[in-house]
């Protein structure tokens, strides 16, 4: 869940907000290891600051959907607008500024996908037994979606048509 926000909101906060505000509902919506990886990536971005579960701990989506014990991770990102645009005035997009953070945003997304693939692989490694024989699932990845497809489930679905 990603949003952008002005870097200074004196009506609500004193001073400038960190540039990358990651929220996991204080760890309730995301695996601690993944949250640590994401924070490490965000903290390594030159010229930018980052915090985990600071002022933005996660909104409804993060709190409602995040269930790390079930392998469902939810993280909120509040990115300061000054990281990629002129936030004072006409909100002009600044390509040069945005280009400096784009590789890091990709790294954040890649870390989430890597974590998802590891969780899926761990589940696949446990496999399951069907009719007394071991059955390994196919790991299917489409963009950000990762799922296991069990051959017997496909066969049952195809047979029921």
């Amino acid at each position: 869940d990603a949003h952008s926000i002005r870097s200074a909101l004196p009506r609500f906060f004193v001073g400038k907000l960190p540039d990358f505000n990651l929220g996991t509902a204080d760890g309730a919506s995301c695996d601690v290891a993944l949250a640590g990886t994401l924070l490490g990536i965000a903290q390594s971005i030159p010229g930018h600051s980052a915090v985990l579960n600071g002022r933005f701990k996660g909104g409804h989506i993060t709190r409602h959907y995040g269930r790390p014990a079930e392998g469902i991770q939810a993280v909120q990102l509040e990115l300061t607008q000054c990281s990629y645009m002129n936030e004072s005035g006409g909100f002009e997009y600044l390509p040069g500024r945005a280009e400096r953070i784009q590789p890091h945003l990709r790294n954040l997304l890649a870390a989430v996908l890597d974590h998802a693939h590891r969780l899926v692989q761990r589940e696949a490694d446990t496999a399951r037994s069907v009719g007394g024989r071991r059955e390994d699932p196919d790991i299917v990845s489409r963009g950000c979606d990762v799922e296991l497809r069990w051959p017997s489930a496909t066969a049952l679905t195809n047979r029921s048509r």
Side-chain angles (χ1 to χ4, degrees), residues 87-145:
E87 67 180 357
S88 60
F91 297 103
E92 173 189 3
Y93 178 73
L94 301 173
R97 196 176 287 182
E99 288 168 6
R100 289 194 294 271
I101 65 166
Q102 287 171 354
H104 304 287
L105 292 171
R106 282 188 202 95
N107 289 342
L108 289 167
L109 291 172
V112 171
L113 289 174
D114 183 58
H115 186 82
H117 281 281
R118 281 194 314 255
L119 288 175
V120 169
Q121 187 61 54
R122 192 175 317 142
E123 188 173 324
D125 288 345
T126 63
R128 70 177 190 180
S129 177
V130 176
R133 66 178 176 80
R134 178 185 160 100
E135 181 180 56
D136 294 314
D138 296 319
I139 299 175
V140 180
S141 176
R142 285 182 313 282
C144 292
D145 295 329

